[in-house]
């Protein structure tokens, strides 16, 4: 039978008809599979799927010491890391003046410009407690000019409206006014190398609560501060002058003032009398003062004391002038906590004046080498409200001179820290008995 007019269709090749691969081809194909590199999988940054707020929360969980390395990942991580930085110390003034600082860290709230304003040629030594004493090089040519500092302050104010704390040296009132206009939330200001005219710009800070002044400030400067900073809570004067009128103006105008600190002052005679007008003052600190007051006219000025005072802190002060120390204790007669730390001239005679402080609940003595056991006893036995006593590194206070009355007082204390010297047997006994933080019954056992 013939099939004319139709093309013969080809049937598909059957697997049985295929040629089988030889053993050599199988061996080559098998080893080529293992020798060839694996296929390349395209890599992608999965963090691109996360929005900025989510990634910012993740980066914020990383410890601050490791965040700098995260900022090197890419430009996006660098930008997000910059938004997390809140505090910075500027050492290169050019970075600030060029605008790179505020663009890199837009959310700064704590900026220290001291080293930058001094060109790095400033030695900063940690002082007593929370104080820092700054030794500026005397040659003015080594400091940035006030015009340069003002330019930097204007750049900072334009990019950091959330600023809350600023430390700057050698600024003028115009630079401070530019900061006050843009940074309305500023609460803490520290001015170094300042004078009375610079303080004209301080009054523009409406919400200022903490002010620290280092420089030549007189009664005029204190009056300017008093008239402009009505909400001041804490005031620190380092190396400043002034007198009764300036301190009185501070007390009358700054009615919210609770802490007043004076370090290495150059105050005029009778300045202590102005403290009596600080009706809400709770803490008075005198640090590294070569004299408390000159004593001239103290009797006339001390007509009133600080009624709300709770803490009197004396550190590295000269207490050799009896009249000045007597006036100070009279002004602080309402104090509940009294601290003498490394004070020179505090012997039994000077310490006996502390009997005027009749409401003391806590007494802390450290480094008072002239005070003896009998001098300590003669005062604290008159303090009927005493609950906490700490005596550290007072070499003339001896365990062997403790009287029965003093031991009874010790046993009734809430807290007792007794380490007048390294040979104190009482201190060792308290440590072994586990009652170092409380008067306990040690003396009753004796």
């Amino acid at each position: 039978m013939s099939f004319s007019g139709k093309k013969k269709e080809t049937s598909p090749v059957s697997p049985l008809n295929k040629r089988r691969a030889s053993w050599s081809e199988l061996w080559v194909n098998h080893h080529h599979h293992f020798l060839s590199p694996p296929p390349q999988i395209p890599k992608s940054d999965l963090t691109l799927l996360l929005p900025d707020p989510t990634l910012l929360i993740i980066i914020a969980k990383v410890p601050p010491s490791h965040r700098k390395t995260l900022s090197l990942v890419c430009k996006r991580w660098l930008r997000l890391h910059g938004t997390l930085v809140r505090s910075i110390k500027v050492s290169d003034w050019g970075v600030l003046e060029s605008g790179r600082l505020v663009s890199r860290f837009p959310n700064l709230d704590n900026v220290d410009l001291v080293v930058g304003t001094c060109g790095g040629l400033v030695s900063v030594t940690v002082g007593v407690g929370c104080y820092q004493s700054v030794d500026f090089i005397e040659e003015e040519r080594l400091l940035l000019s006030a015009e340069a500092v003002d330019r930097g302050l204007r750049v900072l104010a334009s990019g950091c409206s959330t600023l809350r704390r600023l430390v700057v040296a050698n600024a003028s009132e115009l630079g401070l006014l530019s900061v006050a206009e843009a940074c309305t939330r500023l609460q803490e200001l520290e001015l170094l190398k300042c004078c009375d005219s610079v303080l004209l710009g301080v009054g523009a800070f409406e919400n200022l609560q903490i002010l620290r002044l280092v420089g030549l400030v007189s009664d005029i400067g204190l009056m300017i501060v008093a008239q402009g900073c009505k909400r001041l809570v804490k005031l620190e004067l380092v190396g400043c002058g002034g007198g009764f009128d300036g301190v009185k103006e501070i007390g009358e105008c700054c009615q919210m003032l609770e802490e007043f600190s004076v370090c290495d002052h150059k105050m005029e005679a009778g300045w202590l009398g102005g403290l009596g007008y600080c009706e809400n003052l709770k803490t008075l600190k005198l640090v590294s003062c070569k004299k408390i007051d000159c004593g001239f006219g103290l009797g006339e000025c001390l007509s009133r004391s600080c009624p709300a005072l709770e803490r009197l802190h004396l550190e590295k002060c000269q207490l050799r002038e009896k009249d000045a120390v007597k006036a100070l204790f009279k002004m602080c007669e309402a104090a509940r906590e009294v601290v003498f730390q490394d004070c020179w001239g505090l012997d039994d005679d000077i310490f006996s004046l502390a009997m005027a402080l009749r409401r003391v609940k806590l007494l802390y003595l450290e480094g008072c080498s002239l005070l003896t056991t009998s001098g300590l006893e003669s005062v604290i036995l008159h303090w009927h409200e005493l609950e906490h006593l700490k005596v550290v590194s007072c070499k003339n206070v001896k365990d062997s001179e403790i009287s029965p009355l003093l031991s009874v007082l010790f046993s009734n204390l809430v807290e007792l820290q007794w380490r007048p010297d390294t040979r104190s047997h009482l201190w060792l006994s308290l440590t072994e008995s586990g009652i170092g933080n409380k008067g306990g019954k040690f003396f009753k056992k004796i």
Side-chain angles (χ1 to χ4, degrees), residues 104-174:
R104 173 74 172 86
F105 308 108
N107 296 328
L108 291 174
D109 57 19
N110 184 356
V111 178
D112 190 339
L113 302 176
V114 171
V115 179
T117 52
C118 301
L121 299 175
V122 58
S123 60
V124 181
T125 57
V126 178
V128 195
C130 62
Y131 289 88
Q132 290 183 343
S133 61
V134 181
D135 290 331
F136 287 96
I137 298 179
E138 294 297 331
E139 300 183 17
E140 296 291 340
R141 63 182 179 85
L142 297 178
L143 297 173
L144 285 179
S145 63
E147 292 78 9
V149 176
D150 291 346
R151 287 196 301 268
L153 290 178
R154 285 193 291 268
V155 174
L156 180 66
S158 63
C160 298
S161 59
T162 59
L163 203 62
R164 293 182 179 270
R165 180 178 183 268
L166 175 63
V167 184
V168 65
N170 204 30
S172 72
E173 63 274 17
L174 296 178

Side-chain angles (χ1 to χ4, degrees), residues 373-374 377-378 381 398-410 418 443:
T373 311
S374 60
E377 178 182 1
S378 63
L381 288 179
K398 307 294 184 181
D399 292 350
S400 59
E401 299 176 358
I402 297 177
S403 65
L405 290 177
L406 196 58
S407 64
V408 172
L409 174 64
F410 286 175
W418 186 267
F443 292 97

Side-chain angles (χ1 to χ4, degrees), residues 175-189:
L176 295 178
L177 287 173
S178 62
V179 177
E181 183 179 356
C183 306
T184 57
R185 299 181 181 180
L186 192 77
Q187 296 180 349
E188 184 174 353
L189 179 62

Side-chain angles (χ1 to χ4, degrees), residues 36-333:
S36 60
Q40 295 292 332
I41 301 175
K43 297 181 179 180
S44 60
D45 187 1
L46 298 180
T47 60
L48 295 176
L49 303 176
L50 299 176
D52 285 354
T54 304
L55 186 57
L56 200 60
I57 294 175
I58 297 175
I59 297 178
K61 298 294 183 181
V62 179
S65 58
H66 292 49
R67 291 180 187 174
K68 291 183 179 180
T69 57
L70 293 180
S71 64
L72 302 177
V73 174
C74 61
K75 290 184 178 180
R76 184 192 181 201
W77 286 47
L78 178 67
R79 175 175 56 83
L80 294 177
H81 169 263
T83 60
L84 292 176
V85 177
R86 297 290 187 269
S87 177
I88 193 171
K89 290 185 178 181
V90 179
S91 58
D92 188 352
W93 194 257
V95 176
L96 171 62
E97 201 167 359
S98 64
R100 288 178 291 170
L101 178 70
V102 295
S103 61
R104 173 74 172 86
F105 308 108
N107 296 328
L108 291 174
D109 57 19
N110 184 356
V111 178
D112 190 339
L113 302 176
V114 171
V115 179
T117 52
C118 301
L121 299 175
V122 58
S123 60
V124 181
T125 57
V126 178
V128 195
C130 62
Y131 289 88
Q132 290 183 343
S133 61
V134 181
D135 290 331
F136 287 96
I137 298 179
E138 294 297 331
E139 300 183 17
E140 296 291 340
R141 63 182 179 85
L142 297 178
L143 297 173
L144 285 179
S145 63
E147 292 78 9
V149 176
D150 291 346
R151 287 196 301 268
L153 290 178
R154 285 193 291 268
V155 174
L156 180 66
S158 63
C160 298
S161 59
T162 59
L163 203 62
R164 293 182 179 270
R165 180 178 183 268
L166 175 63
V167 184
V168 65
N170 204 30
S172 72
E173 63 274 17
L174 296 178
L176 295 178
L177 287 173
S178 62
V179 177
E181 183 179 356
C183 306
T184 57
R185 299 181 181 180
L186 192 77
Q187 296 180 349
E188 184 174 353
L189 179 62
E190 184 171 342
L191 298 179
L192 290 81
K193 207 71 176 177
C194 66
C195 58
D196 293 340
S197 60
V198 176
L199 299 180
L200 292 172
V202 176
F205 294 94
E206 298 179 355
N207 297 315
L208 192 64
Q209 297 181 3
I210 301 175
L211 178 61
R212 184 169 188 257
L213 303 177
V214 182
L216 302 177
V217 178
S218 65
D219 271 339
I220 297 176
L222 295 180
M223 292 179 181
I224 294 174
V225 171
Q227 294 294 331
C229 304
K230 303 289 186 178
R231 300 184 179 181
L232 210 60
V233 176
K234 180 179 179 180
L235 176 62
E236 299 183 32
L237 304 178
V238 181
C240 297
F244 173 79
D245 295 331
V247 178
K248 177 184 177 182
E249 191 76 11
I250 291 288
E252 290 180 341
C253 297
C254 305
Q255 298 183 359
M256 299 175 61
L257 187 67
E258 295 183 356
E259 183 174 340
F260 186 67
S261 303
V262 178
C263 180
D264 191 21
H265 74 82
K266 299 174 179 61
M267 297 285 195
E268 300 173 0
W271 73 273
L272 276 176
L275 295 175
Y277 295 87
C278 302
E279 297 182 353
N280 295 315
L281 188 65
K282 295 182 179 180
T283 302
L284 176 62
K285 291 184 179 181
L286 302 181
V287 181
S288 300
C289 295
K290 299 178 182 178
K291 58 182 179 180
I292 302 299
D293 203 318
C294 295
F296 177 76
L298 279 177
E300 301 176 0
C301 298
L302 294 178
S303 58
R304 51 197 300 175
S305 61
C306 301
L309 193 70
E310 297 179 357
R311 289 173 291 275
L312 173 61
H313 188 121
L314 301 175
E315 192 167 352
K316 289 188 176 181
C317 293
Q318 298 277 1
L319 302 180
R320 293 186 172 93
E321 298 178 359
K322 191 171 184 179
D323 293 337
V325 176
K326 183 178 180 180
L328 175 65
F329 290 161
K330 182 180 179 182
M331 179 62 62
C332 305
E333 59 184 2

Side-chain angles (χ1 to χ4, degrees), residues 326 329-330 332-334 352-359 383:
K326 183 178 180 180
F329 290 161
K330 182 180 179 182
C332 305
E333 59 184 2
S352 63
L353 301 175
M355 283 190 290
L357 310 172
R358 300 184 180 275
R359 303 178 62 185
W383 291 346

Side-chain angles (χ1 to χ4, degrees), residues 346-348 367-376 391-402 418-421:
L346 186 65
D347 54 11
D348 294 347
C368 302
S369 58
L370 299 180
L371 186 64
T372 64
T373 311
S374 60
L376 175 66
V391 180
V392 179
S393 301
C394 300
K395 62 181 182 180
N396 282 326
V397 178
K398 307 294 184 181
D399 292 350
S400 59
E401 299 176 358
I402 297 177
W418 186 267
R419 291 183 298 170
D421 53 42

Side-chain angles (χ1 to χ4, degrees), residues 425-436:
H425 299 288
L426 174 58
W427 169 53
L428 295 175
S429 302
L430 290 175
T431 304
E432 295 173 357
S433 60
I435 58 174

